[in-house]
Amino acid sequence: MPLPSEKSSEKNVSALLDERRTFPPSAAFKKSANWNDPAIYDRAAKDPEGFWAEQAKNLDWFTPWTRVLEWNVPWANWFVGGKLNVAYNCVDRHAHSARRNKAAIIWEGEPGDSRVLTFGMLEREVNRFANALKSLGVVKGDRVAIYMGMVPELAIAMLACAKIGAAHSVVFGGFSAEALRERINDAQAKVLITADGAWRRGTVVPLKAGVDDALTGTPTIEKVVVLERVGKAAPISMKQGRDLWWHDVVAKASGECAAEPMDAEDMLFILYTSGTTGKPKGVVHTTAGYLVGVSTTHRNVFDIKEDDVYWCTADIGWVTGHSYIVYGPLANGTTTVMYEGTPDFPDRGRFWELIDKYGVNIFYTAPTAIRTFMRWGKEFPEKYKLSSLRLIGTVGEPINPEAWIWYNETIGHGRCPIVDTWWQTETGCIMISPLPGITATKPGSATRPLPGIIAEVVDIDGKPVGPGGGGYLVLSKPWPSMLRTIYGDPERYVQNYWSRYAGKYFTGDGCKLDADGYFWLLGRVDDVMNVSGHRISTYEVESALVDHRSVAEAAVIGKTHEIKGQGISAFVTLKEGITASDALKDELKNHVATKIGAIAKPDDIFFTAELPKTRSAKIMRRLLRDIAEGRVLGDTTTLADPSVIARLKDQAKDEG
Ligand code: ATP
Ligand code: MG
């Protein structure tokens, strides 16, 4: 595949944007990058299985595989016959190498307490907790639910499960009792691991109180292990015979525990998707393929070097935290930073303070966070040096070009490559992303599928659209870290992902290809509007709005319109210090018309202090559509703050 020419950038499909620059890697970065030879794309495309087998050799196997892939659409077996253990690969093998005293986890608590666990220390802690789980009757194949804040014990608990062959199901600590109950029952978990509470902006999230509520209807739970994190700040009650303190169960546990040899296809974990589009799905990931996928992409997309300090700001309750705080970095023996709190506590400079404090080299966050930082203003990052940063990344939603440029200049100081990484809970690891030593980036484009990944943009009939076209993003060949099924619901697995196009995985995302073959993700297919026969993506209109100097964030939806089919409604939050007015509404409508064309001019604009988001901070357009259409709201259990949607509902009524 030829490399995109750096001059043809005027063909960017994102016609709305004035931003036409491309950002090739610097000669110095290219020279020292882990992957810097573009031939790797061709090599992997010619023999994807051979390519993945080569990557799999970076792991330690108890028994080698006999076949790389068995593929009976849509059921995959990767590394057939191979035996290995994920915790052994993430911890033990480093603890028994020169990395023994290297920091594995650098943890910062919200109140400012901190802890460093070396690989040697982590090995001991994982083993003690693994033995504790065994003493509670957990055996290979059981499911263990984990509901905690961002404390090192969360990673320790996950690794302990992996060590003994139990599958974990981590439920984000911000979820309600009801959401927790639903997930425990779906996974039929035997044990629940939690904490008394978690720190959030100086106050306590009462995790254990939520657990007591959730466990009123969970027949499979036998034992609950409770970590003491907040102590006197939130006294809790312990149920006799069911609840045990973490410090008690590990007190007598041995620091030695042999790793359970797991089959390559044994289940490693279940994780429920964000619920942006509907009821969450229990995505199943297995042992070998998952670890091959996350370790390979972590090492090469983030260009990890031995002495790097790497920080991903996601919560471990989401797949980004599983793959790129815990499993990917630790499999590579990388120092991974874990932070308990929010970016605005005690002040809006906290992230930048932490980057300077720990000398963070690689920083990975989300567009929603970047837009928030933009709204707060440059003065916060400008108080810090940020000179240790070498590469910065983003994931979760399409990044608006305006936000990309801000990130590049204000955080990366124009010297750090940006990796905009597209992937899903279901894909397990990054699928589309620049390779920082090879790819010339374009703001707003995740660029190209990684080596070994075969992605296409197809039309409604499944025909590839080719450069310049737009349609649906599909993955045309199986990849090691793909989901294997939906837990307990194989039919939904087949139905959701494999029934649209024969033999191809349907991502549910819309995408355009530019003349250079770069991929421009447009958000979910449901979020693409049809205005008088023109297909307009909500993301494009949002990017045009965010491009205006007054706008912090925007959510755009299509609303039934008698004449046009769909009209465009925009929900807009303004930057601090900007006042809403009808004149500003008109100005914004015209701004979109100038940027994209009259066809994309919003019919209505609503100013709002906040947008409804999932607990993983993604904009929930489906609820906005329900409001705009006056329908009953769909599943709201994953909504971060239900009051936002209630306020918007009232406002929509008032403003008609
Ligand atoms: P659900 O499937 O329950 O509706 P969800 O899709 O939001 O929830 P995730 O698996 O966390 O749950 O998110 C994956 C989705 O996030 C992708 O399908 C895509 O829409 C979006 N996404 C992630 N990264 C990017 C990116 N770099 N660019 C564009 N979109 C992205
Ligand atoms: Mg999804």
Side-chain angles (χ1 to χ4, degrees):
M1 209 183 285
L3 260 192
S5 102
E6 277 145 29
K7 280 190 225 88
S8 54
S9 52
E10 65 276 6
K11 288 173 202 137
N12 281 2
V13 284
S14 202
L16 65 114
L17 300 160
D18 308 326
E19 185 51 68
R20 302 281 163 93
R21 281 174 288 172
T22 58
F23 296 78
S26 70
F29 197 100
K30 201 176 210 160
K31 190 154 168 251
S32 65
N34 294 352
W35 277 352
N36 53 14
D37 179 1
I40 193 165
Y41 287 101
D42 262 347
R43 195 153 57 79
K46 280 200 191 100
D47 179 15
E49 289 173 34
F51 170 81
W52 287 115
E54 197 183 299
Q55 305 311 316
K57 289 185 188 141
N58 291 316
L59 300 179
D60 277 17
W61 297 77
F62 298 140
T63 310
W65 63 90
T66 51
R67 254 184 96 180
V68 180
L69 172 67
E70 253 170 34
W71 178 228
N72 297 308
V73 187
W75 311 102
N77 282 314
W78 279 91
F79 307 109
V80 181
K83 295 223 184 298
L84 74 171
N85 183 283
V86 166
Y88 180 89
N89 273 282
C90 290
V91 185
D92 305 30
R93 63 171 176 156
H94 307 306
H96 296 274
S97 78
R99 292 186 180 127
R100 181 164 188 83
N101 297 319
K102 175 179 175 176
I105 297 176
I106 295 179
W107 174 78
E108 170 96 2
E110 188 187 83
D113 45 342
S114 64
R115 247 171 101 185
V116 176
L117 286 162
T118 62
F119 281 99
M121 292 156 80
L122 185 61
E123 182 192 32
R124 184 177 138 81
E125 294 308 318
V126 168
N127 286 348
R128 290 170 78 207
F129 198 66
N131 285 321
L133 287 175
K134 281 189 188 170
S135 73
L136 300 179
V138 177
V139 296
K140 184 173 173 173
D142 281 344
R143 274 85 53 222
V144 172
I146 306 179
Y147 180 66
M148 299 174 99
M150 287 283 285
V151 287
E153 285 81 0
L154 168 52
I156 291 168
M158 293 162 75
L159 291 160
C161 288
K163 189 109 198 215
I164 64 173
H168 56 71
S169 166
V170 179
V171 180
F172 172 54
F175 270 132
S176 65
E178 183 195 334
L180 173 62
R181 185 187 305 128
E182 203 184 332
R183 286 163 180 71
I184 286 174
N185 287 338
D186 190 76
Q188 307 222 293
K190 189 178 199 175
V191 166
L192 171 64
I193 303 161
T194 187
D196 52 355
W199 289 110
R200 198 98 186 140
R201 294 195 178 92
T203 61
V204 170
V205 181
L207 291 173
K208 179 59 167 55
V211 162
D212 291 336
D213 182 356
L215 296 196
T216 52
T218 52
T220 56
I221 293 285
E222 293 171 12
K223 297 283 179 206
V224 179
V225 180
V226 187
L227 175 81
E228 185 177 351
R229 168 62 184 141
V230 299
K232 292 196 187 72
I236 58 164
S237 61
M238 297 286 278
K239 187 171 169 186
Q240 270 272 310
R242 185 194 72 184
D243 301 350
L244 304 147
W245 287 106
W246 178 295
H247 51 258
D248 289 336
V249 295
V250 295
K252 282 181 241 89
S254 152
E256 315 254 311
C257 176
E260 187 71 36
M262 301 298 286
D263 188 86
E265 284 297 343
D266 278 337
M267 179 159 71
L268 178 64
F269 65 82
I270 305 170
L271 182 62
Y272 294 84
T273 55
S274 323
T276 311
T277 48
K279 191 173 146 39
K281 306 168 273 279
V283 165
V284 170
H285 282 291
T286 58
T287 300
Y290 174 78
L291 202 61
V292 169
V294 298
S295 58
T296 304
T297 50
H298 175 260
R299 189 182 320 109
N300 298 301
V301 170
F302 299 109
D303 191 47
I304 296 296
K305 304 290 191 251
E306 187 63 45
D307 293 330
D308 276 343
V309 175
Y310 160 92
W311 182 22
C312 163
T313 68
D315 192 286
I316 292 177
W318 311 119
V319 74
T320 304
H322 279 58
S323 300
Y324 297 108
I325 296 178
V326 181
Y327 292 119
L330 294 178
N332 291 329
T334 305
T335 301
T336 179
V337 175
M338 201 175 155
Y339 171 52
E340 183 182 32
T342 55
D344 57 350
F345 191 85
D347 64 58
R348 292 172 169 183
R350 188 68 186 269
F351 274 16
W352 322 125
E353 177 200 329
L354 291 181
I355 288 175
D356 281 4
K357 177 173 174 185
Y358 294 116
V360 171
N361 306 108
I362 317 283
F363 178 71
Y364 189 31
T365 195
T368 177
I370 297 167
R371 291 190 300 259
T372 306
F373 303 143
M374 286 172 75
R375 171 150 64 143
W376 292 343
K378 284 193 194 151
E379 58 268 33
F380 298 99
E382 276 173 0
K383 280 192 210 129
Y384 299 89
K385 288 208 201 78
L386 308 183
S387 54
S388 55
L389 289 177
R390 197 163 65 74
L391 181 147
I392 54 182
T394 143
V395 62
E397 290 178 285
I399 179 166
N400 317 97
E402 187 75 8
W404 196 103
I405 295 291
W406 188 92
Y407 195 34
N408 178 49
E409 288 171 1
T410 315
I411 307 304
H413 294 176
R415 88 187 123 69
C416 302
I418 296 184
V419 290
D420 172 4
T421 63
W422 177 90
W423 59 296
Q424 310 178 301
T425 310
E426 295 89 338
T427 67
C429 76
I430 300 170
M431 299 276 107
I432 303 181
S433 164
L435 282 173
I438 299 179
T439 318
T441 53
K442 301 182 188 183
S445 168
T447 75
R448 306 165 62 195
L450 289 175
I453 301 303
I454 294 82
E456 292 174 295
V457 180
V458 299
D459 65 16
I460 195 114
D461 304 315
K463 221 170 90 252
V465 298
Y472 307 96
L473 179 67
V474 298
L475 300 167
S476 323
K477 286 233 164 89
W479 65 102
S481 65
M482 61 193 277
L483 81 163
R484 298 301 194 266
T485 189
I486 297 293
Y487 192 74
D489 198 349
E491 268 160 47
R492 194 170 174 203
Y493 169 70
V494 176
Q495 185 56 35
N496 238 311
Y497 307 107
W498 299 97
S499 57
R500 184 81 74 115
Y501 303 111
K504 293 182 180 179
Y505 171 91
F506 178 62
T507 64
D509 282 351
C511 190
K512 281 189 191 173
L513 288 179
D514 71 11
D516 297 327
Y518 273 43
F519 288 63
W520 295 76
L521 275 305
L522 299 174
R524 294 175 178 70
V525 171
D526 314 348
D527 292 338
V528 176
M529 303 171 292
N530 194 334
V531 182
S532 308
H534 296 266
R535 294 179 65 73
I536 299 171
S537 111
T538 51
Y539 160 71
E540 286 175 297
V541 181
E542 286 161 11
S543 289
L545 286 163
V546 172
D547 179 73
H548 190 277
R549 63 188 182 285
S550 311
V551 175
E553 212 166 8
V556 164
I557 54 152
K559 175 181 169 182
T560 311
H561 188 285
E562 274 183 23
I563 300 152
K564 299 196 265 187
Q566 275 186 318
I568 300 179
S569 298
F571 296 76
V572 170
T573 62
L574 295 173
K575 285 200 180 134
E576 298 205 337
I578 307 282
T579 344
S581 68
D582 284 341
L584 182 56
K585 274 189 193 176
D586 290 336
E587 194 180 320
L588 293 180
K589 287 181 189 175
N590 291 330
H591 187 72
V592 176
T594 345
K595 290 276 153 180
I596 313 182
I599 187 78
K601 190 171 174 169
D603 299 87
D604 322 296
I605 288 186
F606 299 97
F607 291 118
T608 167
E610 272 176 280
L611 295 172
K613 291 189 180 166
T614 60
R615 284 168 207 253
S616 56
K618 296 185 194 206
I619 298 171
M620 262 170 135
R621 293 181 195 77
R622 68 177 164 87
L623 293 182
L624 292 173
R625 275 198 300 270
D626 290 344
I627 289 182
E629 306 265 0
R631 280 193 299 261
V632 182
L633 297 182
D635 189 291
T636 55
T637 54
T638 60
L639 200 57
D641 177 3
S643 69
V644 173
I645 207 85
R647 277 195 298 276
L648 277 169
K649 241 173 127 172
D650 292 343
Q651 192 183 340
K653 251 187 245 139
D654 295 347
E655 297 184 20

